[in-house]
């Protein structure tokens, strides 16, 4: 017989099933896979609270995410994020039907903060848990944010672009995903951060990628310098694969050829930043076109392209993707609101709802998975679940 502090799972699941039959589902969701500490409370109809605590000031000290500092900040911020989410929602602990949290992929130590917090709360309250795949949550966000008159439907292509991922995924159900293209080296978000640091772009109270975008949008359209413009080579033409390490390297070589960034005036640096952003967006558009064409050849009727992840909030990239997708009859491009493109716990809660409804809970013994392919979500030998 299990001790009282570790409730029997059979008892937990039976009790949860009876609760869900009486009313809607209320979920506390947690996220800490990288540098945002997030907590949210939602039900199957609306978001009741959404708390996101950024680490921009800490990242600025280290020139990016420093794992030990990020973990320490998560450990400091998670209790207050949970408390604020519960207070803002007006939902008591006893009213929760379950706890969802990001299980992976991500930075192992950071994932451990939300995973351990979620499991501890659930065990103390005798509630079920669901460990959510981070990229699945990004991919499914548009199902909940798209207009009711033009909803996103399966199958759709999702472009997952963030600091840790750059991939094109074919989504055919809530649990079934096929990776069509992945990055061979750096993710696009990491390349944006590195180029921003190389060009010494101040990030202030935002992240480096957003600072680079803002820097590009300011100032004159031409450089005051007589230096030659930066031309980027194409990445693996005709192949469904990304590479952003090369773009960053080309920027660094350009700076070396000019004896360092300190020898470029601000307008010249802005031209370099714009050239990089244009090349980064062009690579996304080129590979997305290859993926759309492949789906057509395979007879897959894709109706939507969903762009999600932090880089999907970049306005220039959004315009470039819109321009491409509008060339395909019957295909629409969908972007979640910018606040739900970056990491948040709302998307984690949304991605958990179908599992809570199906009583598909995880055991309290699950651990974080820093590496976890989205293709591994499809249950072997089982039918796909769709909306």
């Amino acid at each position: 017989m299990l001790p009282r502090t570790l409730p029997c799972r059979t008892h937990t699941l039976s009790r949860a099933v009876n609760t869900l039959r009486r009313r809607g589902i209320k979920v506390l969701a947690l996220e800490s896979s990288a540098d945002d500490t997030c907590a949210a409370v939602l039900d199957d109809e609306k978001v009741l609270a959404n708390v996101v605590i950024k680490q921009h000031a800490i990242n600025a000290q280290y020139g990016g995410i420093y794992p030990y500092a990020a973990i320490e900040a998560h450990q400091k911020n998670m209790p207050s994020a949970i408390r604020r989410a519960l207070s803002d929602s007006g939902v008591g602990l006893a009213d929760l039907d379950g706890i969802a949290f990001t299980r992976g992929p991500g930075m192992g130590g950071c994932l451990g903060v939300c995973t351990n917090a979620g499991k501890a709360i659930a065990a103390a309250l005798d509630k079920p848990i669901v460990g959510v795949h981070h990229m699945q949550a990004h991919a499914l966000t548009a199902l909940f944010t798209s207009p009711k008159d033009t909803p996103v439907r399966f199958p759709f292509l999702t472009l997952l672009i963030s600091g840790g991922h750059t991939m094109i995924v074919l989504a055919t159900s809530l649990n079934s995903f096929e990776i069509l293209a992945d990055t061979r080296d750096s993710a696009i978000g990491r390349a944006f951060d590195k180029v921003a640091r190389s060009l010494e772009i101040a990030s202030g109270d935002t992240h480096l990628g957003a600072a680079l975008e803002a820097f590009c949008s300011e100032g004159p359209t031409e450089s005051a310098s007589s230096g030659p413009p930066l031309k980027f080579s194409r990445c693996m033409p005709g192949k469904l694969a990304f590479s952003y390490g090369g773009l960053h390297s080309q920027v660094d070589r350009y700076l070396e050829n000019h004896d360092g960034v300190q020898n470029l005036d601000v307008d010249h640096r802005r031209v370099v930043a714009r050239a990089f952003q244009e090349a980064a967006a062009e690579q996304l558009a080129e590979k997305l076109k290859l993926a759309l064409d492949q789906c057509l050849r395979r007879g897959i009727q894709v109706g939507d392209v969903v762009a999600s992840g932090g880089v999907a909030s970049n306005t220039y990239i959004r315009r470039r993707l819109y321009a491409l997708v509008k060339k395909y009859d019957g295909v629409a491009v969908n972007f979640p609101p910018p606040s739900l493109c970056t990491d948040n716990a709302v998307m984690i809660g949304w991605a958990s709802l179908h599992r809570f409804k199906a009583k598909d809970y995880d055991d309290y013994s699950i651990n974080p998975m820093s590496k976890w392919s989205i293709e591994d979500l499809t249950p072997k030998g089982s039918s796909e679940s769709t909306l």
Side-chain angles (χ1 to χ4, degrees):
M1 184 175 183
L2 295 175
R4 291 181 181 275
T5 53
L6 294 174
C8 173
R9 295 298 290 156
T10 301
H11 170 66
T12 299
L13 301 189
S14 176
R15 180 170 164 179
V17 169
N18 290 333
T19 300
L20 299 185
R21 284 172 178 167
R22 291 194 302 270
R23 57 179 173 79
I25 303 171
K26 286 187 173 62
V27 175
L28 169 65
L30 309 176
E31 149 67 16
S32 64
S33 63
D35 60 337
D36 293 337
T37 309
C38 312
V41 178
L42 53 96
D43 59 24
D44 43 4
E45 294 184 352
K46 59 184 177 295
V47 177
L48 304 175
N50 181 24
V51 176
V52 178
I53 302 177
K54 301 285 187 179
Q55 296 184 17
H56 295 323
I58 297 173
N59 294 343
Q61 298 176 29
Y62 296 97
I65 302 176
Y66 181 57
Y68 291 107
I71 295 168
E72 186 177 62
H74 284 312
Q75 292 171 335
K76 174 185 176 182
N77 294 330
M78 186 60 75
S80 60
I82 294 172
R83 186 169 185 174
R84 281 174 52 191
L86 292 170
S87 175
D88 291 350
S89 68
V91 175
L93 289 172
D95 298 322
L96 294 173
D97 298 301
I99 315 296
F101 50 83
T102 305
R103 187 183 181 189
M107 303 172 69
C110 295
L111 289 168
V113 176
C114 65
T115 299
N116 291 334
K119 293 196 299 183
I121 294 171
L125 297 176
D126 195 14
K127 304 289 186 180
I129 62 172
V130 168
V132 174
H133 192 289
H134 186 81
M135 304 315 293
Q136 178 194 29
H138 274 306
L140 299 182
T141 297
L143 297 178
F144 299 91
T145 61
S146 59
K148 291 184 178 180
D149 55 340
T150 56
V152 171
R153 299 186 184 278
F154 295 108
F156 62 84
L157 281 182
T158 180
L159 184 64
L160 300 173
I161 45 179
S162 67
H165 298 84
T166 307
M167 58 176 64
I168 300 173
V169 177
L170 174 64
T172 54
S173 80
L174 295 170
N175 298 318
S176 182
F177 303 90
E178 178 187 352
I179 298 174
L180 302 184
D182 205 345
T183 182
R184 297 289 180 86
D185 43 50
S186 294
I188 184 173
R190 184 169 299 173
F192 264 82
D193 291 348
K194 288 181 176 180
V195 170
R197 285 196 295 271
S198 295
L199 293 175
E200 297 183 356
I201 298 173
S203 60
D205 60 353
T206 186
H207 58 82
L208 287 165
L212 187 145
E213 179 190 1
F215 184 70
C216 290
S217 67
E218 301 166 351
T221 58
E222 299 295 335
S223 171
S225 169
S226 59
L230 176 58
K231 299 294 185 181
F232 288 93
S233 57
R234 292 175 63 197
C235 164
M236 295 176 286
K239 294 185 178 180
L240 264 173
F242 294 100
S243 173
Y244 282 95
L247 297 187
H248 170 240
S249 296
Q250 289 180 71
V251 171
D252 281 351
R253 285 196 299 271
Y254 184 86
L255 298 179
E256 290 173 4
N257 291 336
H258 287 75
D259 298 321
V261 67
Q262 67 276 2
N263 290 316
L264 274 62
D265 63 34
V266 66
D267 290 334
H268 195 161
R269 288 190 294 126
R270 185 169 286 112
V271 167
V272 175
R274 287 170 177 166
F276 163 78
Q277 182 173 247
E278 180 181 349
E282 181 59 31
Q283 186 179 150
L284 288 178
E286 178 184 348
K287 305 306 182 181
L288 180 57
K289 182 180 186 303
L290 290 175
L292 284 165
D293 291 344
Q294 183 188 101
C295 287
L296 288 173
R297 290 194 301 270
R298 293 169 58 184
I300 300 173
Q301 299 298 317
V302 171
D304 293 274
V305 171
V306 174
S308 58
V311 181
S313 61
N314 182 296
T315 303
Y316 180 85
I317 287 176
R318 288 187 174 212
R319 289 200 302 266
R320 183 65 186 87
L321 296 179
Y322 270 123
L324 168 68
V325 175
K326 73 177 183 180
K327 298 177 182 178
Y328 289 81
D329 292 337
V331 182
V333 63
N334 188 290
F335 295 93
S339 64
L340 296 178
C341 283
T342 55
D343 290 348
N344 62 89
V346 171
M347 70 177 189
I348 302 302
W350 277 336
S352 73
L353 285 176
H354 71 279
R355 290 189 56 190
F356 278 114
K357 291 177 180 179
K359 294 82 178 178
D360 178 20
Y361 310 133
D362 286 313
D363 192 83
Y364 291 156
S365 63
I366 64 168
N367 289 317
M369 298 176 64
S370 57
K371 296 185 181 298
W372 187 10
S373 174
I374 195 171
E375 291 183 337
D376 293 339
L377 293 176
T378 304
K380 301 298 186 293
S382 65
S383 59
E384 298 175 348
S385 62
T386 56
L387 287 180

